Amino acid sequence: MVWRRICHHRNPWFRHLRRRFHSPNRLPRPIPPNPSSRLISSVSHPRFAHSGDPCLTWYRRFSSQARIDVPTSGVVEVPLAQTGEGIAECEIVRWFVEEGDLVEEFQRLCEVQSDKATIEITSRYKGKVCQVLCAPGDIVKVGEALLKIHVEEIHSPIVNVESLDGKIDSESCEFNSESFEKEKIGGVLATPSVRHLAKQYGIDINDIHGTGKDGRVLKEDVIAHGANQGICEDSPAISSAFTEESVSVSEEIASQAEAAAQQYYEDKTLPLRGFQRSMVKSMTMAAKVPHFHYLEEINFDALLELKDTFQNENTEKDVKHTCLPFLIKSLSLALGKYPSLNSSFNEEAYELVLKGSHNVGVAMATPYGLVVPNIKKVQSLSILEITKELSRLHKMAMDNRLSSEDISGGTITLSNIGAIGGKFGSPLLNLPEVAIIAVGRIHQLPRFTDDGNVYPTSVANVTIGADHRVVDGAMVARFCNEWKLLIEKPELLLLHMR
């Protein structure tokens, strides 16, 4: 009866088919099946034995695809989807759900990290987590299953109908509700030791009613089920065996801990993941490019004084003024006069692509490795806007929450190595960019006036690395002179900023 209602009410194709079968003088007109439902294969009838009519040929082709929607429960696998262009694998960072948790659609399942960014994977289904297939730290290929979810409602598979008699009645649409209820997909929650105990005494753990949290099968459930089924009469013996097994496991764990203590001085092998793995690839490519470096010394006295003025007059608690936003803004103004340094080189076509946007990347050292997010369209931002965006990117990087958009699209890189230490460095290119700049630590040195008097000044060394295939030393020297002038006389920024 249930099946008959489904056939009659849910699918107008069956109602049409029944009406046509009851009409002895008319052949059924072809009506396309419902595209949203599943196929019923091989519908045939003696009345359609003729093959010469094109209408019957069309009907014979599509009438075997009448469809129905039968809701039932089942287990689906959630695969790792494509997280970005060129991404083939990701590392599992952490899970937001555990086995037995109920999840809603679009709820966070886990966090993964690729070579470019950290991404959260959300659920497409509403149901219960049956099994988590990957642990934090595992490398998962795109398309591989992450976990299994027991969904509340999916569609049933294809139903085969052997034949249809003169009319569709309850006998031809017979539905066995008892077998439907018994069809269950999934597993029960239990620890490995409990599963081993059930297997040891030949008990199917799926037949045991769990009394633990979320239906988890406990040791007591296995013992009680075995006693009820007459599999074992001495329940305390089983409990004793289980206790002895637990003790042996504890002793084994203790011995492993002692062995680990003895191996304290042994070498360790650490796999490179996430940003560290990305750095291996990018630096290997950069090592093949002919570099040259240009070193200059810049006076920071005026810029430090201006920065202190801004900080003293600052009314926003979340904003901290530093020299870096001034360096980024002045760098953008210098790039406006020398656009070749804000470009990328297409080696195959021998073309230099001049970038319209000044997307200045800033190298950041994080607990997860070196990462270079970039500030988009610096030429259209104020120094205050650059300061706020820099603070946001730094916070996201330290929390390992940068997106692909934050990392991709850079046109030139600035590395403030002096914030950690060091007077100068020789940076390698962040391909496909053609220039990278390293700023050393600001320190005071004695300098002489024109009349021979000594005075202290705050200076920093700046090293510019460039791709010598497309950029020459004279161009870098002129660019650096322009940038140096804007840093040493920051009031000139007012003449050029829009």
Side-chain angles (χ1 to χ4, degrees), residues 194-211:
V194 174
R195 294 180 183 272
H196 177 71
L197 180 64
K199 182 179 180 181
Q200 182 178 357
Y201 291 93
I203 300 175
D204 187 358
I205 198 169
N206 295 301
D207 296 336
I208 303 175
H209 175 69
T211 59

Side-chain angles (χ1 to χ4, degrees), residues 114-184:
S114 65
D115 292 346
K116 299 182 178 180
T118 303
I119 303 144
E120 291 181 351
I121 305 297
T122 57
S123 175
R124 297 169 49 195
Y125 310 100
K126 177 181 179 181
K128 184 177 181 180
V129 178
C130 291
Q131 185 179 6
V132 176
L133 303 177
C134 307
D138 290 351
I139 300 296
V140 183
K141 302 287 185 182
V142 172
E144 290 185 1
L146 297 171
L147 74 165
K148 296 181 180 180
I149 297 180
H150 189 282
V151 299
E152 294 186 353
E153 178 176 325
I154 62 172
H155 297 295
S156 67
I158 298 176
V159 179
N160 295 325
V161 179
E162 297 296 338
S163 62
L164 290 175
D165 293 333
K167 59 181 180 179
I168 298 179
D169 51 16
S170 59
E171 288 76 18
S172 61
C173 290
E174 184 178 359
F175 178 76
N176 192 338
S177 59
E178 181 180 357
S179 61
F180 178 79
E181 291 295 331
K182 289 183 178 179
E183 184 179 353
K184 297 180 179 178

Side-chain angles (χ1 to χ4, degrees), residues 23-40:
S23 178
N25 297 323
R26 291 189 300 173
L27 290 174
R29 296 177 58 190
I31 296 178
N34 184 357
S36 64
S37 50
R38 296 186 178 271
L39 302 177
I40 294 182

Side-chain angles (χ1 to χ4, degrees), residues 203-263:
I203 300 175
D204 187 358
I205 198 169
N206 295 301
D207 296 336
I208 303 175
H209 175 69
T211 59
K213 183 181 178 181
D214 299 324
R216 184 180 295 273
V217 176
L218 305 177
K219 174 194 67 173
E220 292 79 5
D221 300 330
V222 177
I223 297 173
H225 182 81
N228 293 335
Q229 297 295 325
I231 298 175
C232 56
E233 298 180 357
D234 190 4
S235 298
I238 300 179
S239 179
S240 176
F242 185 86
T243 303
E244 291 176 0
E245 181 182 354
S246 301
V247 171
S248 62
V249 171
S250 301
E251 292 177 352
E252 182 179 355
I253 294 175
S255 62
Q256 291 177 356
E258 183 179 355
Q262 295 176 356
Q263 298 174 357

Side-chain angles (χ1 to χ4, degrees), residues 434-467:
V434 299
I436 183 172
I437 303 172
V439 181
R441 176 172 53 87
I442 299 176
H443 56 288
Q444 283 195 339
L445 291 177
R447 289 295 182 264
F448 294 90
T449 61
D450 294 338
D451 54 3
N453 294 324
V454 179
Y455 68 95
T457 183
S458 298
V459 299
N461 293 319
V462 172
T463 306
I464 302 177
D467 186 347

